[in-house]
Amino acid sequence: MGEACAELFISEYFEGTSNNKAIEGFNPTSSPVNLAGYGVYTFNNGATNFSSAFGLSGILNPGEVFVVSNSSAAQEILAIANATSNVANFNGNDAVQLRFTDIVLDAIGVVGEDPNPAWTFGSNGSTLDRVLVRKASVNAPTTNWLLSTGQWDIYPATDLSHIGQHTVSPCDGSQVIGFSTPAIIVEEDAGTIEVALEAFYIA
């Protein structure tokens, strides 16, 4: 398992009905992360080489998520998604990875295995027809699926109430407040100005 609050991780796996599929990633760190070099990969039906890949882009601020959905997902999902890709065309027996360059950071399932129809765990845990949301106590990725199976809250395939946002307990219990804009230039006699702040990990 990775160092706490030091790296992006998969925060939600949405394996819903029909084409309603999405992967959500979360930034638990205290700094903005440049997504260049990060990507989502899927491995269909026990494949050992990735079947689809999608490279991420942009800046992900602390406490924010990115969502990659199927292009034919329901409008409610598309409205939240940051991007669409065929990488979000997985079923319960397809492994999913989050990578940075060639380094695997986080994983759903096991590459090279075809569990037919899905990986199952606990009393109702499954990677088929389920929405899996990372527990708030989890603040780091892991490539160990046996460990990961205990890290998810499990919801029905139609549950849209979590996608597009994620809550995690901060590593040190502190709240983070920062300026929305890195610099503002004003005239000396400008008088009163408004400065926007952003707050992260607010309970």
Side-chain angles (χ1 to χ4, degrees), residues 39-200:
V40 179
Y41 297 75
T42 52
F43 299 76
N44 300 129
N45 305 321
T48 55
N49 295 317
F50 66 83
S51 307
S52 299
F54 180 75
L56 303 176
S57 62
I59 302 296
L60 191 66
N61 287 319
E64 289 186 347
V65 299
F66 66 82
V67 177
V68 181
S69 79
N70 189 296
S71 60
S72 298
Q75 187 57 44
E76 295 91 336
I77 298 174
L78 292 175
I80 294 170
N82 302 99
T84 60
S85 169
N86 61 1
V87 79
N89 188 28
F90 49 82
N91 294 306
N93 64 335
D94 302 327
V96 180
Q97 291 182 343
L98 173 66
R99 293 184 182 182
F100 178 68
T101 60
D102 291 329
I103 301 171
V104 181
L105 301 175
D106 208 359
I108 306 288
V110 180
V111 170
E113 289 188 10
D114 186 355
N116 191 24
W119 287 278
T120 58
F121 50 96
S123 59
N124 69 337
S126 174
T127 51
L128 178 67
D129 299 335
R130 295 286 192 280
V131 173
L132 305 181
V133 178
R134 219 70 178 258
K135 292 180 181 294
S137 57
V138 177
N139 50 35
T142 178
T143 58
N144 185 333
W145 176 239
L146 290 178
L147 173 63
S148 179
T149 55
Q151 297 183 342
W152 303 92
D153 291 322
I154 304 160
Y155 299 94
T158 55
D159 191 326
L160 292 165
S161 62
H162 307 278
I163 192 76
Q165 59 186 344
H166 188 65
T167 300
V168 65
S169 302
C171 291
D172 59 1
S174 63
Q175 299 171 351
V176 178
I177 297 177
F179 293 101
S180 299
T181 305
I184 299 176
I185 299 174
V186 297
E187 297 294 333
E188 187 175 346
D189 59 352
T192 301
I193 64 169
E194 294 185 359
V195 179
L197 299 175
E198 291 182 327
F200 309 105

